[in-house]
Amino acid sequence: MTPARAARKPRTKNKEKTLVEDVIAALEAGKPVRREFDGGRLHIDRPQPFLCVHVGDPERHVVAREVASANASYLLTTSIEDAVELIAPIAAVLRKTFGTFLLIDIDELERDRLLCDDAPFLQPFEVTLSATRGLAADRAVKAFEAAVKAFEARFRTPHIDLCAAQEDPCARPELLKLRLPLVTLRFAPIYRVTGSEETYPDLRERLIDNFLDAGLRAVAAFLEADGFPKPVTYRAFGRKAFIDAVERADRGMDDVASSFDFLLCVTPINASAAWQEFKANRYDKPPRFLYRPLSLLVEREKRRLYAISLDRLEDPVLHQIYREKQQELDLQLTLIGHREKARFVEFGRALYGPVEPSLLNAAQAVLDGAGEARRVPALKPDDDEVVDCFFVEHRARTMMSDYQRRHDGFDAAIELRDDVPPGLLVSGPRLLISRRTRMMRHRVDALLSHEVGVHLLTYFNGSAQGLRVFRTGLAGYEGMQEGLAVFAEFLAGGFTPERLRLLAARVVGCNLMLAGASFVESFRFLTGRYDIDAETAFGLLLRVFRGGGLAKDAIYLRGLLSLLSHLKGGGALDPFWMGKISAADFGVMEELGARGLLKAPVLRPLCLETERGRARLERARAGLTPLAMLEA
């Protein structure tokens, strides 16, 4: 929900009266408020028992202004008189609604007094805090102080002066006269480059994040001391509405992301012919890969990408999400622009990371433990049947129908394609099935649980969240997404020794490629050292060497290991079904959910509804290695 807006116009006494009346009427009705007026803004995304205020020139104390405006309830004005005129009636109606109310006044000190040019190290920076008398206000300011002391400052640590508001020279007399519980914050402008108008962007964002967090902790402590019901988390007092700037950025980012399919752009279209050529050359000459013509102009898409403004999102968490997504899309476009060029592999390393030693060791342990891995029950005779793309398509339609009965927004499409390698691939809301697909029947439902039950499910769950970035995927989501998808194969009962060996061999193949081995050298190593059959090794290395060398396929085993560790540690799965997210986003999703910005997933994988699936999930929670999954 986006709060209502009013155009910015010069104010008169009558207009001031109308503004106050409109605001009070909205608050009494429990509605959100967003009003722009001359030099200021009032934003309350839902009635809450607190208000953050910043008074000052919009061009000067910009971080204080941004700290205030990062909250769900704030007032920005250029004059204290305007502030008082609005605060008094707002406080009255909110106090009547909640039985309590806290005002937080946020501003900056005029200069960074503790910094000296000749100091041998960076000194602490000045922070002053004060509060009016009373138990609840005292608890609030002490919670604020504790949070500020815990700042993870990379360069400078805070030096805090704490006093009573009546003794604080920074406390505004006009606000004290309102006789409201008040916390006053002032901090040194350490984000400014001394002697210039330049700023330190990273430090600026760090200050905004930290002071916002400290303020929410203070609000929670104040309300708890006043007997207010305790929320699940203090971050629940944060924003619960997307403003128009967020929705514009989201649409713009999605438009760029939808203008290309990264994997299709870098995946060969002549897989079958390349295999026949490689085999005819007795595996001695590297295959020649052909790619589809590019339908996008990389430079134009980058211009569109960086034309998206992230300056006015007001929510630091969402700002971080979109900034990271912007950087990821930039890197994907850079890779597409360098397809089949020497630097492609290094840009791919930047996107997917190296093969870390622990991952390589885990992969080698799987491959070396092949004898142990193969000690699994024999398959039923019917399961040995080889099926084609039409059988897979039929089973996919059946599974999609099951999901659509549970949620009519699950509007997926199936395409049989000649221009993708054998197997299955999800692109947005589409399941692409290669016409050359041949697989064992017992693997079909497991692979559909992977592609439909995870990749398509999280696309449509993400679509239901209100912001498209959750269906497109947060930056770095692919590792955990593939780990979940492989885990879904396990829950569905189709995780085989051959599948696990393939995932491990992909890691080894990526490591060989990143270390500089050629296609032929890597092929000889995999077939000789690990006895992988020639066609399987070729298909694996086609994926690894596509585009010029892409280390993406190491993420499957990495993601699975990360997920198994998460489950063993007692972690929940539901946030991962809300959309396409990474393991690093787990806390972010929990916070956005607690703030009411995200919905519970409308769908969960069907493999979790079976007795077998639930039993296997419980075994994973007790602790499993990839090899042990074969016997679970």
Side-chain angles (χ1 to χ4, degrees), residues 402-449:
D402 287 342
Y403 281 115
Q404 194 164 27
R405 279 194 291 271
R406 290 163 170 78
H407 174 51
D408 57 11
F410 191 94
D411 187 22
I414 298 177
E415 295 180 11
L416 294 179
R417 302 278 290 257
D418 292 313
D419 61 345
V420 293
L424 287 67
L425 173 68
V426 164
S427 176
R430 302 173 298 157
L431 176 66
L432 312 183
I433 304 174
S434 170
R435 291 185 185 275
R436 296 189 297 277
T437 296
R438 299 289 185 276
M439 66 176 66
M440 305 300 291
R441 183 174 179 175
H442 70 271
R443 284 284 297 150
V444 173
D445 284 352
L447 280 181
L448 290 176
S449 294

Side-chain angles (χ1 to χ4, degrees), residues 285-596:
K285 293 183 180 179
R288 294 174 297 173
F289 294 136
L290 301 178
Y291 299 88
R292 54 184 49 79
L294 295 178
S295 59
L296 80 159
L297 185 62
V298 169
E299 292 77 10
R300 181 180 61 199
E301 295 307 319
K302 284 198 174 190
R303 286 195 296 270
R304 290 178 61 203
L305 179 63
Y306 283 103
I308 299 167
S309 174
L310 304 181
D311 294 339
R312 301 183 181 276
L313 303 191
E314 298 185 5
D315 187 320
V317 172
L318 293 177
H319 182 273
Q320 183 72 8
I321 284 174
Y322 284 104
R323 187 178 67 170
E324 290 176 353
K325 186 63 180 179
Q326 194 175 49
Q327 292 167 344
E328 182 181 72
L329 288 171
D330 179 20
L331 193 49
Q332 288 179 341
L333 286 166
T334 299
L335 270 162
I336 291 172
H338 285 79
R339 188 178 70 180
E340 298 187 271
K341 297 178 182 176
R343 296 182 65 192
F344 183 92
V345 64
E346 294 308 324
F347 288 122
R349 192 197 303 263
L351 183 60
Y352 291 109
V355 175
E356 56 270 29
S358 59
L359 177 61
L360 182 61
N361 290 339
Q364 290 170 335
V366 167
L367 292 169
D368 291 335
E372 176 188 348
R374 286 170 176 155
R375 293 202 307 269
V376 294
L379 298 172
K380 298 177 182 178
D382 288 346
D383 288 336
D384 281 334
E385 179 187 353
V386 176
V387 297
D388 61 12
C389 64
F390 300 106
F391 182 89
V392 176
E393 179 190 20
H394 171 73
R395 293 295 301 158
R397 292 195 187 282
T398 300
M399 183 177 287
M400 287 178 180
S401 296
D402 287 342
Y403 281 115
Q404 194 164 27
R405 279 194 291 271
R406 290 163 170 78
H407 174 51
D408 57 11
F410 191 94
D411 187 22
I414 298 177
E415 295 180 11
L416 294 179
R417 302 278 290 257
D418 292 313
D419 61 345
V420 293
L424 287 67
L425 173 68
V426 164
S427 176
R430 302 173 298 157
L431 176 66
L432 312 183
I433 304 174
S434 170
R435 291 185 185 275
R436 296 189 297 277
T437 296
R438 299 289 185 276
M439 66 176 66
M440 305 300 291
R441 183 174 179 175
H442 70 271
R443 284 284 297 150
V444 173
D445 284 352
L447 280 181
L448 290 176
S449 294
H450 177 124
E451 302 290 352
V452 177
V454 174
H455 294 329
L456 283 176
L457 177 141
T458 51
Y459 178 89
F460 289 109
N461 277 351
S463 296
Q465 294 299 348
L467 291 179
R468 301 175 190 181
V469 71
F470 293 109
R471 76 180 188 192
T472 305
L474 304 191
Y477 80 92
E478 288 179 289
M480 181 54 70
Q481 181 84 174
E482 297 298 357
L484 287 164
V486 171
F487 189 68
E489 297 178 35
F490 165 69
L491 296 178
F495 191 62
T496 65
E498 292 76 18
R499 177 61 166 165
L500 179 56
R501 279 172 52 81
L502 178 64
L503 301 183
R506 286 178 178 177
V507 172
V508 174
C510 287
N511 186 66
L512 290 167
M513 180 271 295
L514 290 174
S518 69
F519 189 101
V520 172
E521 289 169 340
S522 301
F523 178 86
R524 290 172 179 167
F525 184 87
L526 291 175
T527 54
R529 172 69 174 81
Y530 292 115
D531 195 28
I532 296 174
D533 74 85
E535 189 169 4
T536 299
F538 175 85
L540 182 160
L541 292 173
L542 176 147
R543 296 167 59 102
V544 170
F545 282 86
R546 57 184 158 179
L550 192 66
K552 175 184 183 292
D553 277 13
I555 69 177
Y556 291 79
L557 185 59
R558 182 190 292 133
L560 178 61
L561 291 169
S562 177
L563 178 63
L564 292 175
S565 175
H566 174 80
L567 291 172
K568 186 178 180 181
L573 279 180
D574 261 13
F576 291 121
W577 308 133
M578 290 179 176
K580 296 182 183 292
I581 72 168
S582 73
D585 297 318
F586 191 81
V588 167
M589 298 297 281
E590 285 189 315
E591 176 186 333
L592 294 178
R595 284 161 52 183

Side-chain angles (χ1 to χ4, degrees), residues 3-71:
R5 295 180 180 273
R8 180 182 295 185
K9 296 180 180 178
R11 298 175 65 199
T12 65
K13 286 294 182 183
N14 287 337
K15 288 179 179 177
E16 288 173 6
K17 182 178 178 182
T18 301
L19 173 64
V20 171
E21 289 173 348
D22 287 350
V23 168
I24 297 309
L27 292 177
E28 288 179 337
K31 295 180 178 179
V33 173
R34 189 174 176 93
R35 298 288 188 272
E36 305 273 356
F37 50 86
D38 189 27
R41 181 190 310 130
L42 174 66
H43 173 101
I44 303 176
D45 75 8
R46 79 260 188 213
Q48 295 217 80
F50 74 94
L51 183 72
C52 294
V53 60
H54 169 72
V55 180
D57 183 348
E59 302 299 322
R60 285 188 54 77
H61 296 168
V62 292
V63 167
R65 186 179 178 89
E66 290 178 6
V67 172
S69 62
N71 283 276

